Structure formats: structure tokens, C-alpha cells
Amino acid sequence: MFIDEVKVYVKAGDGGNGCLAFRREKFVPNGGPSGGDGGRGGDVVIVSSVHYNTLLHLRYNPEHKAERGGHGEGSNKTGADGDDREVKVPVGTVVYDWFSGEVLFDFNAAEQRFIVAKGGRGGRGNARFATPSHQAPTEHEPGKPGVELTLRLELKLLADVGLVGFPNAGKSTLISRISAARPKIADYPFTTLEPGLGVVRLPDDRSFVVADIPGLIEGASEGHGLGTQFLRHIERTRLLVHLVDVSDITGRDPVADFEIIRNELRSYSEELGSKPMLVVASKIDAAQEPERIAAVEKIASDNGLEFLRISSATGEGLEEFKELVYKRLSEQAR
Ligand SMILES: Nc1nc2c(ncn2[C@@H]2O[C@H](COP(=O)(O)OP(=O)(O)OP(=O)(O)O)[C@@H](O)[C@H]2O)c(=O)[nH]1
Ligand SMILES: [Mg+2]
């Protein structure tokens, strides 16, 4: 299991100070106390959001402070409350106290809100201390400090996207180009024996998780090649990316390859067979015959599937690929 983890410091806003003041008006010789209360400090609130798939955005931004409350003023004016500070996390994030290791909250659904650090109360102004026998109080309180905490946020990464295709189709090469994952890559089938995950980063704190798995061949569901056991690692993904090698050297028919993989997925499970899928022509830098690419494009469109072309060797199409995958993922609620 792949785990994403960050250390984060949070500090709620301090309360504003209570004010010491007396009314001074013409014709009112001894005006009463009029110091207002301080405002409440803002809370730090952690919110689960479907727009985040990883904790990467917090790794580069590890401090979160809410606003302090305004101080009380004369004429019984209360200070303004400080604004809350929201920290967004993906569903599946668990919040721990860094030092004690205690679990503070477990986000298991979207749009849950957890006040992790409460803002300090505002101090009372001197007007609040007046009683019939104590008409000119000078007592007034400072605001209470906001809570501060160091947290450990942990997310068990689940793949959002599964890469499927024949052995040698270029799955591991692709994940190595779009993420920090460094799987073994080689010019022979069944190079990948164990599934691996990679986190893909996009501008504006966007990210998603891709699973690289072993190749499938005809009869895999009957145990040929490496079988289909490993498909359970992509059962819970939201999108499949089907890589079809269109280079000339394979000597294979890319359309037949496409059909074989789809059949193997269907034999594994109805659910996997009907998952949303993007069809990707891989290794276009090595495709001298454009008909091979056109044939894959046609079979995709005949099946009502989106089609893209990429080369992990030259980088062509990779930016479009990442953006399209992100777009399709964010269109689906988890
Ligand atoms: N020309 C070219 N070769 C590529 C490209 N992508 C991958 N290759 C080559 O294709 C071969 C297989 O690549 P892998 O990434 O290991 O393929 P895979 O799909 O992970 O294969 P398995 O793990 O065996 O299922 C390697 O020799 C790569 O260098 C590409 O875009 N262009
Ligand atoms: Mg591989």
C-alpha cells in the first residue's frame, strides 16, 4: 500500500482584547464604562474535497493560520471576529496529532468539516464588569490565544486511473514520464511483475494517481501470461487508459490487440469491462504507417470511446493526456 503523508502546522486566531473606556459626553458628568469586547479568533477547519486526490499541495504549503479577532473599542464597540482558515484534503485523509499520534479525525466522505483548532474567545471590555455597587470598573480582559497544533495527515493512495494493454505497450514508460515513479522498463514482455503507483502533478495543485500493472495477453483470464489476478489493483479506479502500441516493429495488428484486451477485461468482471476508458495510441514516433493509428482511432470511435495519441519517447501528446485524464476524473464524483 502506497501512503502519502505530510506534516502541517495549524494555528487558530487569537481573540481580540477587551477595551477599557468611559463615556465622555457633554452634560453627562460621569459617563459609565463603555469598553467593548474583543472579537473571536478564526478557526482552522479541515474540509474534505473531491477536487483533491493527493496531499501534495500541502507539502509545499505546511502552515495554516486563521485570522485574529479585532480588539474591542470605546462606545461599546465589539471587535470583528477573525476569518476562519480552510485546509482542503482529499477524501480518505486521516488527521493525527503529530506528537501524541492520536487520531483526531477520519475523512470518509466529501464535504466533511472538522474544526481542528478553535479560535480564542475575545476578552471582555470593562462595560461588562459594571454592577450597581461597582459603577466605574477598570477591569478588562486580554483575548484568549487560538489553539495551535502540529498534525500528521495521512492518505492511503488509491489509484484513480489504471493503465492496461499488451506487454511492451509502453505502460511503464508512460508512468515514468508523467510521474516520479521509476519502474523497470525493457524491450521484452512481462517486464512489470508487480503493480506500481505514480502521482501525476498538474498546475494549480491538481493531481491524480495512476497504477501501472503487468501486461495482459490473449487467454490471460485462463491463466496465460501472468494471468489476471493483478487486475484487482485497478478494480476501484475510476478510469482505464488502454495503451495500444502502433509502432511498426511489433508486427501486430493494433485493432486485434485492442479487442483482445477488452475481452480479457470483460472476462475478469462485468464492472471492469464497462469502466470508462480512454484509448491511447502509444509510440507514435515509431509509427511509419499512419493507417495503424487511423485504425485504432476508428475502433475507438466505433466503441464510443475517446482517442488520443502519444509518444513517451518524444513527449508528444503527454500534456494533453494529463489534462484530459484530470478532466474526465473530476467530472465523476467519487
Ligand atoms: N519508440 C518508442 N518506444 C517506446 C515508447 N514507449 C515505450 N517504448 C519502448 O517500449 C518498450 C516497452 O516499454 P515498457 O514501458 O516496459 O512497456 P510495458 O507496457 O510496461 O511492458 P510490460 O511491463 O512488459 O507489460 C521499451 O523498450 C521502451 O523503451 C515510445 O513512446 N516510443
Ligand atoms: Mg511495464
Side-chain angles (χ1 to χ4, degrees):
M1 182 58 82
F2 215 74
I3 289 181
D4 199 10
E5 192 181 76
V6 288
K7 182 180 185 178
V8 172
Y9 168 81
V10 293
K11 165 87 172 71
D14 297 337
N17 298 332
C19 173
L20 170 64
F22 290 93
R23 246 185 335 262
R24 293 275 173 266
E25 286 170 44
K26 256 183 185 172
F27 314 119
V28 182
N30 283 312
S34 67
D37 300 342
R40 197 184 61 85
D43 300 332
V44 179
V45 187
I46 305 183
V47 184
S48 53
S49 158
V50 291
H51 298 295
Y52 290 85
N53 297 313
T54 73
L55 296 170
L56 264 181
H57 62 292
L58 297 175
R59 184 157 305 159
Y60 301 94
N61 188 18
E63 277 194 23
H64 301 271
K65 296 180 181 168
E67 195 183 23
R68 70 163 303 143
H71 298 313
E73 291 176 39
S75 312
N76 287 310
K77 255 186 86 179
T78 302
D81 289 344
D83 285 338
D84 292 345
R85 174 68 179 258
E86 287 193 353
V87 178
K88 306 269 191 172
V89 297
V91 176
T93 300
V94 182
V95 181
Y96 297 87
D97 182 291
W98 179 270
F99 298 104
S100 72
E102 184 194 347
V103 173
L104 305 179
F105 200 81
D106 186 346
F107 288 92
N108 51 26
E111 297 305 319
Q112 288 178 326
R113 300 175 64 83
F114 168 56
I115 299 175
V116 66
K118 258 198 122 19
R121 243 192 32 206
R124 288 177 295 175
N126 68 330
R128 299 281 218 102
F129 293 87
T131 62
S133 60
H134 184 49
Q135 296 191 357
T138 55
E139 296 96 324
H140 58 110
E141 296 169 335
K144 294 267 188 294
V147 171
E148 60 187 307
L149 279 172
T150 302
L151 306 173
R152 186 165 67 86
L153 304 186
E154 189 184 287
L155 174 69
K156 291 190 177 58
L157 283 186
L158 290 177
D160 302 298
V161 182
L163 295 181
V164 297
F166 258 76
N168 256 335
K171 302 179 293 298
S172 300
T173 310
L174 174 60
I175 203 173
S176 78
R177 288 299 305 266
I178 60 176
S179 79
R182 291 292 170 265
K184 187 172 169 195
I185 293 167
D187 190 15
Y188 53 82
F190 306 119
T191 308
T192 300
L193 300 172
E194 293 289 330
L197 295 183
V199 178
V200 179
R201 294 194 77 192
L202 288 156
D204 306 321
D205 284 343
R206 296 172 302 151
S207 57
F208 59 85
V209 182
V210 178
D212 173 31
I213 60 171
L216 289 166
I217 57 169
E218 183 154 28
S221 49
E222 279 114 51
H224 293 215
L226 294 176
T228 51
Q229 271 281 323
F230 54 80
L231 287 179
R232 73 193 148 83
H233 294 282
I234 58 166
E235 266 181 317
R236 292 173 66 191
T237 60
R238 293 180 281 156
L239 180 70
L240 297 181
V241 168
H242 186 160
L243 252 63
V244 186
D245 187 341
V246 293
S247 66
D248 312 311
I249 38 167
T250 61
R252 306 184 58 89
D253 173 3
V255 172
D257 283 1
F258 174 87
E259 299 286 11
I260 290 169
I261 299 294
R262 286 209 95 189
N263 282 334
E264 295 302 326
L265 293 172
R266 287 197 192 101
S267 315
Y268 180 81
S269 79
E270 168 61 31
E271 195 196 345
L272 208 54
S274 56
K275 232 181 236 305
M277 179 184 274
L278 286 183
V279 181
V280 174
S282 158
K283 311 190 192 179
I284 52 168
D285 60 284
Q288 302 303 322
E289 305 160 23
E291 309 82 65
R292 298 174 74 84
I293 304 179
V296 178
E297 184 167 17
K298 176 159 189 313
I299 188 85
S301 106
D302 289 350
N303 283 274
L305 300 172
E306 254 177 311
F307 173 80
L308 244 92
R309 55 193 85 201
I310 63 158
S311 164
S312 298
T314 65
E316 191 177 345
L318 295 185
E319 287 307 312
E320 294 88 330
F321 171 77
K322 291 193 282 184
E323 289 293 341
L324 183 66
V325 168
Y326 184 83
K327 193 157 167 232
R328 292 295 167 259
L329 288 175
S330 48
E331 283 163 3
Q332 303 170 35
R334 240 173 222 271

